[in-house]
Amino acid sequence: MNLEIGKYVRTCNGTIFKIVGGNEDKWDIDISYSCLSRLEDEDYTSYAYNKNNSFFKALAKKASHEPIDLIEVGDYVNGFYVIGFDTLENGENAVIVNADITYGYGMGVIPEKEIYSIATNENFSKIEYEIDD
């Protein structure tokens, strides 16, 4: 996997962040938008996520300049459950979402340029509370 400044990265634990500086020896990432300390079990130091490149590469699952490439079925985009992907008539990539997750019906399409939030399925699994019968 080719990592470089400007790419977004999705970790095996479901955290998404952007590489904002550094080099292959030590990448610096933007964690200002997430509570990374609560979401990751791995060791990191403030703004510098990795202590060596092999640690970072082992943790990274996907990397891309476009956040839509990191989205998977089962994630949530703009608060909606992702059920698939599509390409619009104008060639823009989009996610297909379940527009009404309460009742389980209805589909919607969110174009790539209208994506403003992503919550990964791994993060939901970490914070869910299961009720025993």
Side-chain angles (χ1 to χ4, degrees), residues 25-63:
D25 292 327
K26 190 171 185 178
W27 293 112
D28 294 326
I29 63 163
D30 181 0
I31 60 170
S32 60
Y33 57 89
S34 68
C35 295
L36 192 61
S37 61
R38 285 189 261 166
L39 299 175
E40 293 289 341
D41 297 324
E42 313 299 338
D43 186 27
Y44 69 96
T45 56
S46 74
Y47 222 65
Y49 191 77
N50 61 311
K51 294 182 177 166
N52 60 57
N53 196 35
S54 60
F55 170 77
F56 192 82
K57 282 192 173 183
L59 190 60
K61 180 178 177 181
K62 295 180 180 180

Side-chain angles (χ1 to χ4, degrees), residues 5-132:
I5 295 173
K7 278 194 171 182
Y8 294 88
V9 176
R10 181 181 181 134
T11 70
C12 298
N13 294 330
T15 301
I16 296 176
F17 55 79
K18 186 175 183 178
I19 299 173
V20 294
N23 56 42
E24 288 188 13
D25 292 327
K26 190 171 185 178
W27 293 112
D28 294 326
I29 63 163
D30 181 0
I31 60 170
S32 60
Y33 57 89
S34 68
C35 295
L36 192 61
S37 61
R38 285 189 261 166
L39 299 175
E40 293 289 341
D41 297 324
E42 313 299 338
D43 186 27
Y44 69 96
T45 56
S46 74
Y47 222 65
Y49 191 77
N50 61 311
K51 294 182 177 166
N52 60 57
N53 196 35
S54 60
F55 170 77
F56 192 82
K57 282 192 173 183
L59 190 60
K61 180 178 177 181
K62 295 180 180 180
S64 175
H65 285 287
E66 302 300 328
I68 194 169
D69 295 335
L70 305 180
I71 298 169
E72 298 177 354
V73 171
D75 291 344
Y76 290 81
V77 169
N78 299 356
F80 296 102
Y81 185 77
V82 175
I83 58 175
F85 302 90
D86 197 4
T87 303
L88 304 177
E89 290 179 7
N90 64 3
E92 185 179 7
N93 292 324
V95 292
I96 302 170
V97 296
N98 188 345
D100 188 347
I101 61 173
T102 305
Y103 299 104
Y105 63 86
M107 291 191 318
V109 176
I110 301 176
E112 182 175 16
K113 65 182 177 188
E114 294 180 21
I115 294 173
Y116 58 84
S117 70
I118 303 167
T120 64
N121 59 57
E122 294 92 346
N123 289 341
F124 268 97
S125 297
K126 286 181 184 180
I127 63 172
E128 72 182 346
Y129 177 81
E130 294 183 12
I131 300 172
D132 295 329

